[in-house]
């Protein structure tokens, strides 16, 4: 698929099928406009016929808007697989949350994305497509980009689809592409330690975010099966190495689950784990998933938890919840649609 290729590779492809260089440029521009091939006016029919097979065929099939302005999009791929991505409006601009896999195989007990397991990985171009389509939906173009920030926090585990995610980061941050600064990109992982080290080798300037959600390996393993493979200690060591190598502060996501991980003892353990480590904790009350039994801690309790963390010297904030009325949390909407069909 052509969206998997970078600028030079697309020009090479055009050359190989016998097109002059300016046609290669046009094909590149067409892809980055987020338009379908039919909508492209400056390519002759004969050329469209040749490239049709490889031209991206993804599209937005549904679009929901929340009262708070958050938008959720359903993107459908060639093979009819669907993923969701979420657009959030902040003071500084739009942040898009993209999915990296169709489904997920990590099995976290509170998450909707993993309910049906992993269907397949997304290719680099398929992840890119989410950004191109939403940018276009906002009236943007390659040269007039509307999206300022990206978070790889939709469905899927990015480090479980390593090569495609790396290529996507290269494509999206390229000056030839949408030119989104790596500093404005966050990658969230449940803690695949070897993946963190592989990422560190890439010398990207992206922010690393860890979904921690528990303060002991025993408790973590009850809600996140991945905890059986990698200990909290190993994860934090990898984060310290990441921070040292890249100079970038590491973030931790901590989803508060009522009666599971929200006690003062948890605060004490967190402060011990993070002692001397300049990181930041994002506290999020669990978004209750219909199919799951776990309940979220109240917002009021979440603020208390954060105050408690701060009093222990840990930098922490309660994450704003957005788009709750449109099933904003990962994978919720896809599940609903899968059920309807
Ligand atoms: N697999 C990656 C990225 C996708 S999940 C990861 O684990 O980080 C993005 C974030 O949403 C993670 O922190 C995840 O734990 C959290 N999350 C999943 N389901 C949630 C829910 N129901 N309520 C609140 N946060 C949730």
């Amino acid at each position: 698929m052509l969206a998997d290729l970078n600028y030079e590779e697309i020009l090479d492809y055009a050359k190989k099928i016998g097109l002059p260089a300016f046609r290669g440029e046009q094909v590149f521009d067409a892809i980055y406009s987020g338009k379908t091939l039919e909508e492209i006016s400056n390519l002759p029919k004969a050329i469209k016929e040749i490239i049709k097979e490889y031209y991206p065929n993804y599209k937005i099939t549904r679009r929901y808007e929340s009262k708070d302005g958050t938008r959720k999009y359903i993107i459908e791929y060639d093979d009819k697989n669907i993923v969701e991505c979420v657009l959030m409006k902040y003071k500084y601009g739009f942040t898009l949350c993209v999915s990296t896999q169709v489904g997920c195989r990590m099995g976290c007990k509170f998450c909707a994305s993993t309910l049906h397991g992993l269907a397949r990985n997304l290719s680099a171009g398929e992840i890119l497509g989410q950004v191109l389509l939403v940018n276009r939906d906002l009236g943007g173009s390659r040269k007039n980009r509307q999206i300022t920030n990206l978070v790889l926090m939709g469905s899927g585990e990015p480090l479980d689809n390593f090569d495609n995610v790396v290529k996507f980061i290269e494509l999206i941050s390229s000056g030839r592409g949408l030119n989104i600064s790596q500093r404005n990109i966050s990658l969230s992982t449940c803690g695949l330690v070897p993946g963190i080290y592989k990422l560190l080798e890439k010398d990207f300037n992206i922010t690393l975010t860890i979904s921690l959600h528990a303060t002991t390996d025993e408790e973590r393993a009850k809600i996140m099966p991945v905890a059986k493979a990698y200990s909290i200690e190993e994860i934090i060591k990898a984060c310290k190495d990441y921070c040292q190598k890249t100079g970038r502060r590491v973030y931790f996501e901590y989803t508060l689950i009522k009666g599971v991980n929200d006690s003062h003892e948890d605060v004490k353990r967190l402060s011990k784990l993070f002692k001397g480590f300049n990181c930041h904790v994002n506290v999020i009350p669990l978004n209750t998933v219909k199919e799951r039994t776990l309940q979220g801690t109240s917002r009021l309790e979440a603020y208390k938890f954060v105050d408690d963390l701060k009093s222990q010297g840990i930098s922490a904030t309660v994450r704003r919840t957005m788009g709750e009325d449109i099933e904003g949390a990962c994978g919720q909407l896809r599940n609903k649609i899968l059920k309807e069909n």
Side-chain angles (χ1 to χ4, degrees), residues 213-217 219-220 232 254 265-267 269-270 273:
H213 307 329
T215 55
T216 66
D217 290 322
E219 287 302 316
R220 195 164 188 261
I232 294 176
Y254 195 87
E265 294 306 307
D266 286 304
V267 170
R269 279 191 291 266
L270 276 178
L273 286 169

Side-chain angles (χ1 to χ4, degrees), residues 154-190:
S155 289
E157 166 50 47
L159 297 183
D160 188 39
N161 184 15
F162 189 85
D163 293 341
N164 292 333
V165 164
V166 161
K167 178 101 196 231
F168 162 69
I169 293 168
E170 287 165 354
L171 291 175
I172 199 71
S173 60
S174 156
R176 289 285 190 185
L178 279 198
N179 198 13
I180 297 185
S181 162
Q182 289 183 2
R183 296 182 160 272
N184 294 347
I185 302 176
S186 290
L187 181 149
S188 180
T189 173
C190 60

Side-chain angles (χ1 to χ4, degrees), residues 131-151:
V131 190
L132 298 175
L133 290 172
V134 173
N135 186 49
R136 186 194 175 191
D137 192 61
L138 289 169
S141 61
R142 181 163 69 90
K143 295 197 176 111
N144 174 29
R145 172 166 52 75
Q146 297 297 307
I147 295 162
T148 49
N149 294 63
L150 282 182
V151 293

Side-chain angles (χ1 to χ4, degrees), residues 110-111 153-154 156-157 188-190 211 213 253 255 286-287 289 330:
F110 45 82
C111 182
M153 289 191 187
E157 166 50 47
S188 180
T189 173
C190 60
S211 299
H213 307 329
E253 304 277 310
T255 294
L286 182 84
N287 214 319
V289 173
C330 322

Side-chain angles (χ1 to χ4, degrees), residues 97-98 100-101 104 106 108 110-113 152-159 187-191 209-213 224 252-256 284-289 292 319 329-330 332:
C97 174
V98 296
T100 53
Q101 296 178 312
C104 183
M106 294 298 121
C108 299
F110 45 82
C111 182
S113 299
L152 280 66
M153 289 191 187
S155 289
E157 166 50 47
L159 297 183
L187 181 149
S188 180
T189 173
C190 60
T209 300
I210 306 290
S211 299
L212 192 65
H213 307 329
M224 300 177 73
F252 289 86
E253 304 277 310
Y254 195 87
T255 294
L256 284 179
I284 319 146
L286 182 84
N287 214 319
T288 307
V289 173
R292 303 291 204 190
R319 165 75 67 81
C330 322
Q332 286 186 354

